[in-house]
Amino acid sequence: MEKILIFGHKNPDTDSICSSLVMADLEKKVRGDDAIKACRLGEINEETKYALNYFKVEAPELIENVEEGQPVILVDHNEFNQSVNGIEKAKIDTVIDHHRIDNFKTTEPVFYYAQPVGCTSTLLFELYTLNNITIEPKIAGLMLSAIISDTLLLKSPTTTIKDEKTLEQLAQIANVDIETYGLDMLKAGTNLDKYTEEELINLDAKRLDKDGMSYIIAQVNTVSIPDVLKRKEKLEEVINQKIKSENLSLFVFAITDIVNSNSEAIVLGNRTDLVGKTYKINNNIAVMPGVVSRKKQILPLIEKNL
Amino acid sequence: MEKILIFGHKNPDTDSICSSLVMADLEKKVRGDDAIKACRLGEINEETKYALNYFKVEAPELIENVEEGQPVILVDHNEFNQSVNGIEKAKIDTVIDHHRIDNFKTTEPVFYYAQPVGCTSTLLFELYTLNNITIEPKIAGLMLSAIISDTLLLKSPTTTIKDEKTLEQLAQIANVDIETYGLDMLKAGTNLDKYTEEELINLDAKRLDKDGMSYIIAQVNTVSIPDVLKRKEKLEEVINQKIKSENLSLFVFAITDIVNSNSEAIVLGNRTDLVGKTYKINNNIAVMPGVVSRKKQILPLIEKNL
């Protein structure tokens, strides 16, 4: 039997990696076989590495394409341009997600479960309950890491009561202190020195295509925005190269201070007005007080200004 | 507070009407208020009337448009061309469905729950369980009517074990004999004499737009295919008018014998080859042995031949 491949989005974050591993665990137990494989569509970032290492779980296998007819399960995304190469011809079996749905299509009915919550793992927790399956401590650890990452320790405006309650229960199962573990994990992800500027702008970048226009919103977390902005000149250079090579109208590189919950963004392209209508842009930088969420704050702002 | 409107697809069948009423009942109990209203996007057919009458439930209110920003819940459909006029500008809150997903899009994350099962009500039954809400007998009656209708008394190839098990449990709650009630309800829906030919071809018609081509697959249930085909000449006339006025490439009017589980279809348009590659078409009629499901049998056939 052909293995069903489970993966999150390209440029995987902690939710995409952990939810793939968790969903694989769940599906193996529900479907009663080993015909399931967790995969990833890109490099593991430092934050995720910390989580996998802490809970002693191996990273899923890297894949780049799928064949026509390949059965797949998507977690933490649904937009084809954020998914594996070849997704249009794959056989989508299931989607578990917490993002908007954008031009999603299948030829057959599928299992699709999405809710406007802060993290995919919050929904996976529900599926364990629904299927009466006990959650192992290390699986709970992966889920709580995903929730902490996506909600920035419950501080992001995407956080719901359901995320909070789920996180509490998972912390008991995994036996970790949320604040201590969470801050350590988030800080591990802010070690940006080891990345080149090209890597930084691709680390957690989402590309969106709308009305014939393409734009990318990238985001990095840090404990010191000035530290990242020391590399501003070189960052702008690689962003401008990217804009040219991919014919982008806008590139927003958001640098988010996870301790103080603020962001500053480098904004480039010929449609900087989409940000500029709301935030003053000085020397290509927009200061965004209280902004931490791409999905709930930056993206809606751009769409409103479109 | 603005009422959230709940509705199924245009040309509503029993699942669309009953699931709207059931979902409204569920949402009122979950959200703890009366800010919910079940609606419908078209006339109630004879089969559905029988069910509503039997369980003494009033039909939902007819609506034709929604305003920009109107919060809505979609049941039993997701494709915008099958939904209310104005859906593109509405605020979609929730979708509960069992069809393929076709170019569905939202600007915000939504609650989306779909499974490849035979009927929307099978999923609603799960939601009652998940929310620990007791199902009243008349609500169980609506759900079982929807399942019997969509699965043709569990005979359609769309039927899953989950539909079967759900139907059994609902029959106990509603205290009805599935076979007796089911056949009576289905037969009530086969009283086609009261409809004009224009009404017949619109009674349960689904329009699909693909690759710049538009086609409609309509379906009626009967206990005697020859009885319906007595009106063949007039039916062909109104179908050809429809093809002309809506610039359709294909119109399939499937007449399904619910007792013997067969169909015959009137096939017209300039792309009858999409059916003709599989079934011989004689005098505009394709005989389709064992075919009862538009979704699982007729639609995939057309797409395969495209």
Side-chain angles (χ1 to χ4, degrees):
Chain A
M1 202 174 96
E2 198 168 12
K3 282 202 180 188
I4 302 177
L5 306 181
I6 303 182
F7 44 82
H9 53 75
K10 282 177 178 163
N11 301 315
D13 57 7
T14 300
D15 188 18
S16 268
I17 297 295
C18 290
S19 287
S20 305
L21 292 163
V22 172
M23 185 68 179
D25 175 75
L26 176 67
E27 285 294 336
K28 283 177 187 179
K29 285 165 179 164
V30 171
R31 307 200 188 199
D33 63 55
D34 279 317
I36 304 280
K37 189 160 80 174
C39 300
R40 62 185 162 93
L41 306 185
E43 291 311 309
I44 307 266
N45 68 33
E46 292 299 308
E47 180 194 282
T48 312
K49 267 184 202 158
Y50 182 91
L52 294 179
N53 191 45
Y54 190 96
F55 293 105
K56 299 184 176 54
V57 179
E58 269 187 46
E61 190 182 312
L62 179 69
I63 58 166
E64 289 184 344
N65 309 285
V66 293
E67 301 290 319
E68 184 167 347
Q70 168 67 48
V72 297
I73 293 177
L74 312 187
V75 294
D76 195 32
H77 74 298
N78 68 81
E79 299 188 36
F80 284 8
N81 66 6
Q82 295 166 5
S83 196
V84 73
N85 299 328
I87 186 67
E88 296 80 5
K89 301 274 182 184
K91 183 169 165 36
I92 299 173
D93 177 281
T94 297
V95 180
I96 314 287
D97 191 23
H98 67 125
H99 296 88
R100 68 168 191 181
I101 302 173
D102 196 29
N103 287 317
F104 184 81
K105 56 194 288 185
T106 59
T107 51
E108 297 280 324
V110 296
F111 188 111
Y112 198 112
Y113 188 40
Q115 275 192 39
V117 292
C119 179
T120 309
S121 278
T122 301
L123 301 180
L124 294 179
F125 182 80
E126 276 190 6
L127 294 182
Y128 275 88
T129 310
L130 204 60
N131 288 290
N132 274 317
I133 292 172
T134 309
I135 301 173
E136 295 167 37
K138 70 174 180 184
I139 296 295
L142 295 176
M143 283 196 257
L144 72 83
S145 300
I147 296 175
I148 290 167
S149 170
D150 264 17
T151 66
L152 290 177
L153 254 172
L154 305 178
K155 279 185 199 146
S156 165
T158 55
T159 312
T160 66
I161 295 194
K162 205 177 262 186
D163 299 303
E164 280 185 50
K165 287 191 177 162
T166 305
L167 182 57
E168 264 172 41
Q169 293 180 69
L170 289 168
Q172 286 183 358
I173 301 171
N175 194 27
V176 296
D177 178 76
I178 296 169
E179 284 297 321
T180 313
Y181 171 75
L183 214 54
D184 285 349
M185 186 196 79
L186 289 175
K187 278 186 181 161
T190 66
N191 175 15
L192 303 177
D193 296 342
K194 57 164 292 204
Y195 296 107
T196 65
E197 286 75 15
E198 282 87 351
E199 286 168 339
L200 274 185
I201 68 162
N202 287 308
L203 208 54
D204 179 13
K206 287 217 172 147
R207 183 193 166 102
L208 298 140
D209 302 289
K210 196 164 178 176
D211 301 337
M213 190 183 104
S214 296
Y215 50 106
I216 288 180
I217 307 176
Q219 188 172 27
V220 292
N221 292 337
T222 182
V223 288
S224 163
I225 292 175
D227 255 18
V228 181
L229 284 178
K230 279 181 192 153
R231 303 164 75 176
K232 177 166 177 279
E233 200 174 331
K234 181 73 178 148
L235 280 166
E236 289 184 353
E237 193 183 316
V238 295
I239 290 171
N240 279 322
Q241 277 162 12
K242 183 98 172 171
I243 287 172
K244 205 171 165 191
S245 67
E246 301 201 7
N247 197 19
L248 304 171
S249 301
L250 177 68
F251 195 112
V252 178
F253 181 72
I255 307 156
T256 300
D257 178 337
I258 57 163
V259 179
N260 300 304
S261 300
N262 290 314
S263 296
E264 295 190 23
I266 300 177
V267 185
L268 292 169
N270 58 27
R271 291 301 306 270
T272 56
D273 62 297
L274 296 175
V275 174
K277 276 180 196 162
T278 305
Y279 294 104
K280 214 166 190 171
I281 301 176
N282 280 321
N283 201 11
N284 302 333
I285 298 278
V287 177
M288 302 170 160
V291 169
V292 294
S293 167
R294 171 167 50 197
K295 184 165 75 179
K296 279 271 187 181
Q297 297 174 308
I298 303 175
L299 191 56
L301 167 104
I302 290 172
E303 301 219 314
K304 199 191 68 174
N305 289 339
L306 251 175
Chain B
M1 202 174 98
E2 198 169 13
K3 283 200 180 191
I4 302 176
L5 306 181
I6 303 182
F7 44 82
H9 53 74
K10 281 178 179 163
N11 302 313
D13 57 7
T14 301
D15 187 18
S16 268
I17 296 295
C18 290
S19 287
S20 304
L21 291 162
V22 171
M23 186 67 180
D25 174 75
L26 175 67
E27 285 294 337
K28 283 177 186 179
K29 284 165 180 164
V30 171
R31 305 201 189 200
D33 63 53
D34 280 316
I36 304 280
K37 190 160 78 173
C39 299
R40 63 186 162 93
L41 306 186
E43 292 310 310
I44 308 268
N45 68 33
E46 292 299 308
E47 180 194 282
T48 311
K49 266 183 202 158
Y50 182 91
L52 294 179
N53 192 44
Y54 190 98
F55 292 105
K56 299 185 175 55
V57 179
E58 270 187 45
E61 191 181 312
L62 179 69
I63 58 166
E64 290 183 344
N65 310 286
V66 293
E67 301 290 319
E68 184 168 346
Q70 169 67 48
V72 298
I73 293 176
L74 312 187
V75 294
D76 195 30
H77 74 297
N78 69 80
E79 299 187 36
F80 284 7
N81 65 6
Q82 296 166 6
S83 196
V84 72
N85 300 327
I87 186 67
E88 295 80 5
K89 301 273 182 184
K91 183 170 164 38
I92 299 173
D93 177 281
T94 297
V95 180
I96 315 288
D97 191 22
H98 67 125
H99 296 88
R100 67 168 190 182
I101 302 172
D102 197 29
N103 286 317
F104 184 81
K105 56 195 287 185
T106 59
T107 50
E108 297 279 324
V110 297
F111 188 112
Y112 199 112
Y113 188 39
Q115 275 192 41
V117 292
C119 179
T120 309
S121 277
T122 300
L123 301 180
L124 293 179
F125 181 81
E126 276 190 7
L127 294 182
Y128 276 88
T129 311
L130 202 60
N131 288 290
N132 274 318
I133 292 172
T134 309
I135 300 174
E136 296 166 37
K138 70 175 181 184
I139 296 295
L142 295 176
M143 282 197 256
L144 71 85
S145 301
I147 296 174
I148 290 167
S149 170
D150 264 17
T151 66
L152 291 177
L153 254 172
L154 306 179
K155 280 185 198 146
S156 165
T158 55
T159 313
T160 65
I161 294 194
K162 205 177 260 186
D163 300 303
E164 280 184 52
K165 286 190 176 163
T166 305
L167 182 57
E168 263 172 42
Q169 292 181 70
L170 289 168
Q172 285 182 358
I173 301 170
N175 194 25
V176 296
D177 178 76
I178 296 169
E179 284 297 322
T180 312
Y181 170 76
L183 215 53
D184 285 348
M185 186 196 81
L186 289 175
K187 277 186 182 161
T190 66
N191 176 15
L192 303 177
D193 296 343
K194 58 162 293 204
Y195 296 108
T196 66
E197 285 75 15
E198 283 86 352
E199 286 169 339
L200 275 186
I201 67 161
N202 287 308
L203 207 54
D204 179 13
K206 286 214 174 152
R207 183 193 167 101
L208 298 140
D209 302 288
K210 196 166 176 174
D211 300 337
M213 191 183 103
S214 297
Y215 51 106
I216 289 180
I217 307 176
Q219 187 173 28
V220 292
N221 292 338
T222 180
V223 288
S224 163
I225 292 175
D227 255 18
V228 181
L229 284 179
K230 278 180 192 154
R231 303 164 75 176
K232 178 167 177 278
E233 201 175 329
K234 182 71 179 149
L235 280 166
E236 289 184 355
E237 194 183 315
V238 295
I239 290 171
N240 278 323
Q241 278 164 11
K242 184 98 172 170
I243 287 172
K244 206 171 163 192
S245 68
E246 300 201 7
N247 197 21
L248 303 171
S249 301
L250 177 69
F251 195 111
V252 178
F253 180 72
I255 307 156
T256 299
D257 178 337
I258 56 163
V259 179
N260 299 303
S261 300
N262 291 313
S263 295
E264 295 189 22
I266 300 176
V267 185
L268 293 169
N270 58 28
R271 291 302 305 270
T272 56
D273 62 296
L274 296 175
V275 174
K277 275 181 197 161
T278 305
Y279 294 105
K280 215 166 188 171
I281 301 176
N282 279 322
N283 201 11
N284 302 331
I285 297 279
V287 177
M288 301 170 160
V291 169
V292 295
S293 166
R294 170 167 50 197
K295 183 165 73 177
K296 277 273 188 182
Q297 295 173 309
I298 303 175
L299 190 56
L301 168 104
I302 291 172
E303 301 219 315
K304 198 191 68 173
N305 289 337
L306 251 177

